[in-house]
Amino acid sequence: MPLGDLERDRMNLCDIKTVKQIMAMFHLTFHKEFGQNFLTDRMVVEDIAEECCADPDSTILEIGPGIGTLTYELALRRREVISLEIDRGLIPVLQYTLGEFDNVRVINEDVMQTDLEALLRPYFEKGSVSVCANLPYYITTPILMKLFESGLPFEYITVMIQAEVADRLCAVAGSKDYGAITAVLAYYGEAEKLFTVPADRFVPAPKVNSTVIRIRLYHEKPCRPKDEKLLFRTIKAAFGQRRKTLANVLGTGFSELSREQINEAIALCGHRADIRGEKLDIAQFTALSDVLYGMLNS
Ligand code: SAM
C-alpha cells in the first residue's frame, strides 16, 4: 500500500487534510448513502469518548467507525471496543488507523443485520457494555429501536444525531417536539442532551447541526404495563393524528371498542374528555393502556 507522505505516528484523524489524504490513499470517496460525515473536531471527539460512560472497564459497541476517529479515542479510554462498519472499503483504512490497538475489533457488518445478542453475550459476561456512535442520520431511529428492542442491558447509549431529532427525543410531554418516539424512548430510559456540534465540524459538512445525547437505560423499568405491545399500540394511536382529541384518535386506533368505552377509559385515568394524546407522559400512557387492556380482555 503506497502510504505517500502520511505517517501513521503523526496522523491526526481530526485534520480535514489528513482525512481527505487517507480517503485518497485508499481510493475511497465519501458515501452519502451511508451517511458518511466524519468528525473533525478533536475536542468533540474526546468529549464524546469521555462522556459516553463512567466505567473505563466497560466494553463499547460503536456503530459506524468511519476512518476510526472516535474509535481511536474510545480505544484509549475503554477496555474493549467493538465497531460495526457497513462500508467494506473502510476496513483496510481502519486496520491502518487503529493498527496499534489490540482492544479494538472491527466487523464489516450492517448493524441492522447483526445478531447483537450473539455478538455481545461474551462482553456482557465480562462487565458493562455501552453504545457510543456518531450515527448515520438516514437510519437513526431504526438503530435506536433495534438497540432498545434487543432487550440487552446496555448501561448507556451515547449518540450523535441530527439536532432536530435530539430535540424530539429529549422533549417533555406536551411540548411541540414531543412525539411517539419520545414516549417510546422514555419507556426504555432517560435521555439528556450533552452538547450541540455545528455542521462545519464534519467532512463533508452535513446540511444540519448535530447534538450528542446520552440515554441511561433502565435496568428496572419504572413503567410496567400489563401488555407491552398494547402500550406501544396506544402510543402509536395517540399520535396518529395530531390536533385531534385523544378520544377521537383512540376511536380510530381501537375500532373494536365503542366510543363510550374509550370515553370511560380516558375518564378512569383522570383526564378531561377533550385531552390530546401529546399531553400524556409515559406513565400516563401505561395507565391508559392497562385500562384498555382490561376492556379488551373482559
Ligand atoms: N464514527 C465516524 C466519525 O465520527 O467520524 C463516522 C461517522 S459517519 C456519521 C457514520 C458511519 O456509519 C459511516 O462510517 C458509515 O459508513 C457507517 N454506517 C452507515 N450505515 C451503517 C450500518 N447500517 N451499519 C454499520 N455502519 C453503518
Side-chain angles (χ1 to χ4, degrees):
M1 170 66 60
L3 298 183
D5 57 6
L6 196 71
E7 287 174 44
R8 195 170 55 192
D9 295 349
R10 289 197 280 116
M11 202 166 49
N12 173 5
L13 296 177
C14 289
D15 174 48
I16 296 185
K17 225 177 101 197
T18 306
V19 177
K20 288 185 175 166
Q21 220 173 339
I22 289 177
M23 295 297 277
M25 208 165 88
F26 287 87
H27 310 291
L28 298 174
T29 48
F30 298 99
H31 282 286
K32 211 173 162 190
E33 72 276 21
F34 289 150
Q36 289 180 355
N37 303 100
F38 299 157
L39 251 170
T40 56
D41 186 315
R42 172 154 304 286
M43 287 245 295
V44 169
V45 178
E46 289 180 357
D47 282 352
I48 299 173
E50 282 290 330
E51 305 259 339
C52 68
C53 68
D55 180 8
D57 228 20
S58 56
T59 296
I60 302 291
L61 170 69
E62 186 193 18
I63 297 153
I67 61 164
T69 315
L70 176 60
T71 328
Y72 192 100
E73 298 302 324
L74 289 168
L76 288 176
R77 293 168 173 80
R78 310 289 160 192
R79 186 168 65 178
E80 272 169 292
V81 184
I82 319 296
S83 293
L84 297 176
E85 175 54 62
I86 195 172
D87 183 354
R88 190 153 41 105
L90 288 170
I91 303 304
V93 178
L94 291 161
Q95 283 159 358
Y96 173 66
T97 57
L98 303 169
E100 70 197 73
F101 295 104
D102 57 10
N103 61 338
V104 178
R105 182 174 161 201
V106 174
I107 302 169
N108 179 208
E109 228 169 81
D110 175 350
V111 63
M112 298 309 293
Q113 305 299 326
T114 302
D115 180 345
L116 293 177
E117 222 277 309
L119 172 68
L120 298 173
R121 195 182 307 121
Y123 300 96
F124 277 106
E125 280 165 13
K126 283 190 239 173
S128 72
V129 181
S130 286
V131 177
C132 183
N134 172 13
L135 284 184
Y137 296 160
Y138 75 101
I139 199 177
T140 300
T141 307
I143 291 177
L144 287 177
M145 287 311 298
K146 172 157 183 161
L147 295 171
F148 296 150
E149 287 170 357
S150 72
L152 291 168
F154 296 113
E155 204 68 31
Y156 292 98
I157 298 176
T158 304
V159 283
M160 167 109 74
I161 55 179
Q162 268 187 47
E164 202 180 289
V165 177
D167 290 343
R168 228 179 306 144
L169 292 177
C170 300
V172 292
S175 66
K176 75 169 174 33
D177 291 322
Y178 188 66
I181 184 70
T182 327
V184 170
L185 186 154
Y187 173 67
Y188 290 106
E190 208 176 18
E192 62 174 321
K193 285 186 208 168
L194 295 184
F195 45 87
T196 292
V197 183
D200 64 4
R201 307 297 154 83
F202 299 83
V203 61
K207 290 199 173 65
V208 292
N209 292 337
S210 303
T211 297
V212 179
I213 65 164
R214 184 172 56 201
I215 303 163
R216 184 179 65 82
L217 284 191
Y218 297 129
H219 293 174
E220 290 284 331
K221 290 193 185 72
C223 295
R224 293 166 188 225
K226 289 189 174 129
D227 180 340
E228 197 175 82
K229 280 207 180 83
L230 187 64
L231 169 64
F232 295 139
R233 186 180 161 197
T234 309
I235 293 172
K236 193 167 166 224
F239 287 96
Q241 301 148 284
R242 262 187 124 94
R243 285 186 293 277
K244 288 210 169 180
T245 63
L246 181 60
N248 268 329
V249 290
L250 288 184
T252 310
F254 288 87
S255 52
E256 64 271 54
L257 294 176
S258 70
R259 188 55 193 250
E260 287 68 38
Q261 283 176 302
I262 302 263
N263 289 343
E264 191 192 335
I266 292 171
L268 274 171
C269 291
H271 302 302
R272 285 169 44 155
D274 62 351
I275 192 166
R276 293 179 199 283
E278 58 263 31
K279 295 279 177 214
L280 269 57
D281 64 21
I282 186 63
Q284 292 168 317
F285 274 122
T286 304
L288 177 61
S289 82
D290 283 352
V291 172
L292 295 172
Y293 178 90
M295 288 175 169
L296 291 165
N297 291 288
S298 62

